[in-house]
């Protein structure tokens, strides 16, 4: 008997429908936790919109917007314990903020500051640019955590495009073979720059990719923060027992890949319209208002507070001393080589030759 | 002091370092039960268990990438790439990840890891097993590239590499694994990374080389001294990155004539860098153009022509004659 592709059936976990109505039994999440989840989503959106504007004004460099993916990032990161580790790519600012990465430093990163990846003690690996490479660092990190008996889980964030990379598959294989405390959190935002998910992989789902590696997986509505948070809690329990898992959070990148491209060139505006109707903030807000734990006045105040925090973070970043050319020589090796010392001194003495 | 081959010295050092520091973990293909294809890790899994001597799936990028993650979180991985020609599979994880982690994290994180790999010619391996690709990594800031040429050096350099807080590529010349035995002290010692060794002092010609060609060049140099009365200074570079400029410049100032011998292909090879550095720092001490005896600019050839392709005694002799002609 041939095993046909895509025979695997995977049901998507979802609690909130597109209008913010509970579909089945509500998950067991306390009201204060619900409010925290939403507040972080507001913070993420405000940061994102501000960053986009600042880039347009030329005050920060290239930025990869996360708008539309707030529930996936916030829901997953809010479930983590402090001892857990995040291995992010460039679009995971929101998840990093939740896990203690200073917003100020993310601005520094976009400004091209040498210390822009400094997590200041938070368990956040430097932002990864090479798609998929971070999956393997998470494998090694999870391994070290297990070896040191830390009870920590490593979470690697990757997009749908990233699942085409070899490193993703090698990491899945290693994680499963060695039973590592590791979660592959795939944000399927449907676009890898200009290439749609349908041209990225012929798999019906990304979740099913785990099956071939002997790993458990699940698909969640990535715009439903309750589904993401609840699923991530379950995933963490599994991972802490040495059972790595893959979560496919189905979401949508509402903006461009980065501030350097224009999605109008490659995607149908109708598709965006459909996804705007599934916006993660809108759903959660409707749910909370219905539940009578939130209202428009609180909402307005929260957006204002978030604006204030972003403004403060940006001010701190703008006023931070700029990276100097001299500094770059000191962070290549633990101890500067003679060549680097000579090159550094040449700048101080007589300018670059 | 027991006499050891290079492979025995490497095996002994790995054992000692694993005893010394429980953060040291070995990982790679066939390194466990099989003890590595050259037996570098022979018996280590029996001593330290499967958690510390790990047989991995066949995936070079994953081996190096996992080591990066381990190193950043407090382990001291020693990863083996079965043959250095397979490093292309792990190029990103070596050059863009391990090498750059300290820089990318603004100095916050390091990758104290070693990647070991057998390499070099003269043993008639199948394709992509022998290639001398050290030049690729000389060109990748953030890495250290170390190549021993004797059992004694292998022990001291490998111990230093494992204890180093930066990623070290440790390249082991296959031809020298069992070529000769040498007294290797069992007690702890390290050889500083980044320092060349003057194997023999001389007055007339400086020859700079490393790895598999060191014994060959030594033999050729000896003949010139005995039969032609030419005094040769022989430098074993030991570390390709960072290069010991001081040792090179000091020697050139003395002899004024330089021959560089390496198995890496000629164009863009480490010899080009060394030659350029002499040009910048000691040009006016030169009495003759610098000669590079390197492998030809082709992919590593089939075994039947390997002996002509690699630097050999005949080509080295020609080179010495050439620098002496001026």
């Amino acid at each position: 008997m041939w095993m046909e592709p895509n025979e695997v059936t995977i049901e998507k976990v979802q609690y909130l429908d597109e209008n913010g109505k509970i579909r089945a039994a509500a998950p067991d999440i306390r009201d204060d936790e619900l409010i925290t989840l939403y507040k972080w989503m507001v913070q993420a959106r405000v940061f994102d919109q501000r960053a986009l504007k600042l880039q347009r004004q030329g005050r920060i460099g290239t930025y990869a917007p996360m708008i539309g993916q707030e529930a996936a990032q916030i829901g997953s990161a809010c479930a983590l314990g402090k001892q857990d580790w995040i291995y992010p790519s460039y679009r995971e600012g929101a998840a990093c903020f939740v896990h203690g990465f200073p917003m100020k430093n993310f601005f520094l990163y976009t400004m091209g500051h040498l210390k822009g990846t400094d997590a200041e003690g938070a368990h956040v690996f430097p932002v990864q640019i090479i798609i998929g490479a971070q999956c393997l660092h998470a494998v090694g990190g999870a391994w070290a955590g297990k070896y040191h008996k830390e009870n920590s889980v490593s979470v690697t964030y990757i997009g749908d495009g990233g699942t085409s990379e070899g490193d993703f598959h090698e990491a899945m294989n290693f994680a499963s073979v060695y039973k590592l405390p590791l979660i592959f959190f795939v944000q399927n935002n449907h676009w890898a720059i200009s290439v749609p998910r349908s041209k990225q992989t012929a798999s019906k789902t990304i979740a099913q990719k785990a099956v071939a590696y002997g790993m458990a997986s699940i698909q969640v509505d990535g715009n439903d923060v309750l589904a993401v948070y609840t699923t991530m809690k379950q995933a963490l329990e599994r991972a802490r027992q040495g059972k790595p898992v893959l979560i496919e959070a189905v979401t949508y990148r509402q903006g461009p890949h980065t501030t350097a491209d224009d999605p109008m060139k490659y995607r149908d505006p109708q598709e965006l319209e459909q996804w705007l109707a599934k916006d993660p903030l809108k759903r959660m807000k409707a749910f909370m208002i219905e539940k009578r734990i939130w209202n428009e006045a609180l909402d307005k105040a929260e957006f204002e507070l978030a604006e204030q925090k972003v403004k403060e973070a940006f001010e701190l970043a703008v006023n931070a001393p700029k990276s100097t050319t001299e500094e770059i020589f000191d962070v290549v090796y633990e101890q500067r080589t003679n060549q680097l010392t000579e090159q550094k001194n040449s700048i101080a003495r007589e300018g670059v030759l | 002091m027991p006499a050891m081959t290079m492979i025995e010295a490497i095996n002994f050092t790995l054992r000692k370092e694993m005893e010394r520091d429980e953060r040291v973990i070995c990982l790679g293909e066939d390194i466990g039960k099989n003890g590595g294809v050259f037996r570098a890790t022979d018996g280590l899994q029996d001593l330290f268990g499967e958690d510390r001597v790990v047989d991995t799936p066949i995936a070079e990028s994953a081996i190096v990438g996992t080591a990066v993650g381990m190193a950043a979180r407090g382990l001291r991985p020693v990863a083996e790439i079965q043959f250095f020609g397979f490093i292309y599979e792990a190029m990103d994880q070596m050059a863009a990840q391990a090498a750059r982690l300290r820089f990318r994290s603004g100095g916050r994180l390091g990758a104290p890891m070693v990647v070991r790999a057998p390499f070099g010619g003269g043993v008639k391996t199948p394709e992509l097993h022998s290639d001398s690709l050290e030049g690729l990594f000389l060109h990748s800031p953030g890495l250290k590239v170390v190549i021993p040429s004797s059992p004694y050096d292998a022990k001291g350099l490998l111990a230093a590499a494992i204890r180093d807080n930066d990623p070290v590529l440790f390249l082991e010349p296959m031809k020298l694994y069992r070529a000769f035995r040498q007294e290797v002290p069992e007690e702890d010692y390290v050889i500083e990374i980044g320092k060349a060794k003057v194997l023999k002092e001389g007055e007339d010609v400086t020859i700079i080389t490393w790895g598999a060609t060191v014994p060959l060049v030594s033999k050729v140099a000896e003949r010139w001294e005995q039969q032609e009365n030419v005094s040769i200074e022989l430098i074993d570079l030991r570390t390709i990155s960072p290069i010991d400029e001081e040792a090179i410049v000091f020697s050139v100032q003395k002899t004024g004539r330089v021959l560089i011998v390496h198995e890496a292909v000629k164009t863009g090879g480490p010899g080009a860098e060394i030659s350029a550095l002499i040009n910048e720092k000691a040009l006016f001490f030169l009495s003759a153009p610098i000669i590079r005896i390197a492998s030809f600019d082709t992919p590593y050839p089939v075994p039947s022509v390997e002996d002509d392709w690699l630097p050999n005694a005949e080509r080295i002799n020609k080179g010495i004659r050439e620098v002496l002609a001026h």
Side-chain angles (χ1 to χ4, degrees):
Chain A
M1 281 283 281
W2 291 97
M3 188 205 265
E4 293 297 333
N6 301 320
E7 271 183 346
V8 189
T9 49
I10 291 179
E11 270 184 55
K12 193 159 59 181
V13 179
Q14 190 193 46
Y15 289 107
L16 287 178
D17 73 9
E18 290 178 33
N19 301 312
K21 303 273 186 215
I22 282 287
R23 289 183 74 221
D28 186 20
I29 306 175
R30 292 194 316 267
D31 287 353
D32 63 315
E33 290 176 303
L34 293 172
I35 291 168
T36 302
L37 286 167
Y38 181 69
K39 282 182 173 177
W40 271 118
M41 284 164 67
V42 169
Q43 184 68 77
R45 177 141 310 176
V46 168
F47 175 88
D48 195 71
Q49 287 172 338
R50 174 61 53 192
L52 204 60
K53 279 184 195 146
L54 289 166
Q55 194 280 336
R56 298 295 182 225
Q57 293 164 6
R59 303 186 75 188
I60 65 171
T62 308
Y63 174 69
M66 60 179 121
I67 185 165
Q69 298 179 221
E70 294 90 345
Q73 293 193 32
I74 300 300
S76 55
C78 277
L80 300 178
K82 232 182 163 166
Q83 77 276 25
D84 300 323
W85 277 80
I86 286 182
Y87 293 78
S89 78
Y90 41 75
R91 205 187 301 285
E92 272 86 45
C96 298
F97 299 154
V98 171
H99 208 51
F101 185 90
M103 206 182 287
K104 168 200 71 175
N105 290 1
F106 205 93
F107 275 127
L108 286 176
Y109 179 74
T110 59
M111 291 169 174
H113 198 286
L114 200 56
K115 299 288 178 189
T117 55
D118 190 352
E120 296 183 12
H123 286 178
V124 177
F125 222 62
V127 167
Q128 181 57 250
I129 294 298
I130 299 299
I131 307 291
Q134 74 275 21
C135 296
L136 290 169
H137 305 157
V139 166
W143 201 316
K146 186 181 173 184
Y147 189 83
H148 291 311
K149 299 187 170 53
E150 280 173 7
N151 196 33
S152 67
V153 171
S154 295
V155 183
T156 176
Y157 283 82
I158 189 168
D160 45 310
T163 66
S164 304
E165 287 278 1
D167 278 356
F168 168 73
H169 295 273
E170 293 189 17
M172 296 258 282
N173 195 37
F174 267 49
S176 204
V177 166
Y178 297 114
K179 301 180 172 51
L180 299 176
L182 180 54
I183 297 172
F184 293 85
F185 191 86
V186 184
Q187 292 183 80
N188 170 7
N189 71 10
H190 287 82
W191 290 89
I193 306 190
S194 67
V195 178
R197 188 210 137 331
S198 60
K199 284 192 178 163
Q200 200 64 238
T201 172
S203 294
K204 193 165 68 182
T205 67
I206 286 168
Q208 75 197 59
K209 288 178 188 285
V211 175
Y213 297 101
M215 192 189 296
S217 63
I218 199 163
Q219 195 183 50
V220 297
D221 180 340
N223 285 11
D224 170 0
V225 74
L226 304 186
V228 176
Y229 181 72
T230 310
T231 306
M232 193 68 176
K233 283 274 187 197
Q234 293 166 3
L236 283 157
E237 259 179 58
R238 282 172 171 264
R240 282 192 219 289
Q241 293 163 21
K243 294 175 191 161
V245 297
L246 181 150
I247 298 174
E248 177 189 0
V250 182
T251 180
Y252 194 75
R253 189 189 84 207
Q254 293 178 9
H257 163 65
T258 68
T259 43
D261 67 296
D262 174 11
M264 298 294 281
K265 267 186 80 176
Y266 52 79
R267 75 182 182 192
D268 184 349
Q270 277 186 342
E271 184 186 281
L272 175 63
E273 286 303 314
Q274 286 166 12
W275 278 95
L276 287 176
K278 300 177 187 177
D279 185 78
L281 269 76
K282 205 183 69 180
R283 284 155 82 166
M284 185 61 173
K285 182 181 160 188
F287 167 68
M288 286 167 60
I289 288 175
E290 169 97 14
K291 205 172 156 51
R292 297 178 186 282
I293 57 171
W294 200 248
N295 58 44
E296 290 295 348
L298 285 171
D299 204 59
K300 189 166 173 287
E302 192 56 38
F303 269 88
E304 280 167 9
L305 182 65
E307 284 281 2
Q308 190 56 36
K309 282 186 185 167
V310 173
K311 203 177 153 202
E312 283 166 16
F314 183 69
E315 287 302 316
L316 284 171
V318 164
N319 293 320
K322 290 200 171 18
S323 297
T324 64
T325 310
E326 276 85 352
E327 277 177 275
I328 64 173
F329 300 100
D330 297 333
V331 290
V332 182
Y333 297 94
E334 189 189 40
Q335 287 181 315
R336 256 195 340 255
T337 61
N338 292 342
Q339 283 86 347
L340 284 168
T341 298
E342 188 182 327
Q343 289 165 27
K344 180 177 179 168
N345 290 345
S346 78
I347 291 176
R349 207 171 47 242
E350 63 217 5
V352 189
L353 189 67
Chain B
M1 282 210 314
M4 293 185 194
T5 61
M6 185 186 281
I7 199 78
E8 287 165 354
I10 288 166
N11 181 272
F12 183 76
T13 311
L14 288 171
R15 179 157 70 83
K16 284 289 168 197
E17 292 303 305
M18 290 184 82
E19 281 169 359
R20 194 178 159 273
D21 184 349
E22 66 169 22
R23 297 172 303 168
V24 178
I25 282 184
C26 293
L27 68 158
E29 297 156 14
D30 305 300
I31 70 160
K33 288 264 182 301
N34 193 44
V37 292
F38 291 99
R39 306 289 173 265
T41 50
D42 203 20
L44 296 182
Q45 197 178 60
D46 289 339
L47 280 172
F48 300 104
E50 290 183 22
D51 290 340
R52 290 189 67 194
V53 182
V54 185
D55 272 325
T56 65
I58 304 175
E60 284 76 15
S61 184
I63 292 167
V64 178
T66 297
V68 172
M70 285 176 164
R73 292 266 299 270
L75 295 179
R76 298 240 155 199
V78 181
E80 181 180 293
I81 295 297
Q82 202 158 57
F83 290 91
F84 193 41
F86 308 167
I87 200 74
Y88 288 117
E89 288 275 354
M91 202 62 204
D92 172 60
Q93 291 294 345
M94 280 303 308
Q97 305 299 331
R100 296 167 69 119
L101 185 60
R102 188 179 296 282
F103 193 84
R104 287 181 51 233
S105 65
R108 178 169 60 96
L109 299 171
M113 56 187 275
V114 178
V115 174
R116 297 180 35 248
F119 87 123
V123 286
K124 313 242 185 293
T125 61
E127 195 185 3
L128 278 165
H129 285 61
S130 295
D131 298 46
S132 290
L133 305 171
E134 62 268 34
L136 294 176
F137 300 96
L138 161 65
H139 198 66
S140 306
L143 292 175
K144 295 179 181 177
V145 183
V146 174
I147 305 177
S149 66
S150 69
Y152 179 90
D153 278 14
K155 179 166 181 277
L157 288 167
L158 182 56
I162 292 171
R163 297 175 204 181
D164 200 287
N165 284 333
D166 286 307
V168 179
L169 187 55
F170 191 81
L171 302 177
E172 302 163 2
M174 265 182 280
K175 198 180 178 184
L176 302 186
Y177 267 157
R178 296 184 173 82
F180 60 95
R181 287 182 180 275
Q182 188 182 35
E183 296 296 308
V184 177
E186 284 194 25
E187 56 267 27
D188 190 44
Y189 66 93
V190 291
I191 296 173
E192 189 183 351
I193 290 174
K195 291 276 177 234
K197 184 180 188 185
V198 179
L199 287 173
K200 205 182 70 58
E201 291 191 19
E203 302 295 328
D204 303 326
V205 179
T206 297
I207 306 185
I208 301 163
T209 190
W210 54 87
T213 43
V214 169
L216 169 68
V217 174
S218 300
K219 221 167 122 187
V220 171
E222 211 172 292
R223 195 195 69 82
W224 276 86
E225 297 224 312
Q226 286 168 3
Q227 296 178 16
E228 314 282 342
N229 199 27
V230 172
S231 167
I232 290 177
E233 178 142 308
L234 180 55
I235 297 179
D236 176 356
L237 214 48
R238 277 181 169 164
T239 302
I240 301 304
S241 175
I243 288 175
D244 187 348
E245 294 187 2
E246 207 182 343
I248 292 170
V249 170
F250 182 79
S251 180
V252 174
Q253 286 175 345
K254 188 166 57 167
T255 63
R257 290 184 166 79
V258 184
L259 195 69
I260 304 161
V261 183
H262 65 60
E263 284 196 359
V265 297
K266 190 170 186 178
T267 300
E273 179 57 36
I274 295 164
S275 175
L277 121 80
I278 295 168
N279 170 56
E280 280 185 350
K281 305 213 162 166
L283 177 68
F284 299 114
F285 291 90
L286 287 178
S287 307
I290 297 164
I291 299 283
R292 287 178 287 160
I293 306 293
S295 295
F296 301 124
D297 289 343
T298 72
Y300 202 95
V302 291
S304 56
V305 296
E306 194 178 13
D307 291 344
D308 296 327
W309 187 82
L310 289 166
N312 52 34
E314 193 187 333
R315 291 174 60 202
I316 297 165
N317 282 330
K318 261 194 210 166
I320 296 173
R321 268 197 294 278
E322 183 80 22
V323 288
L324 286 172
H326 290 272

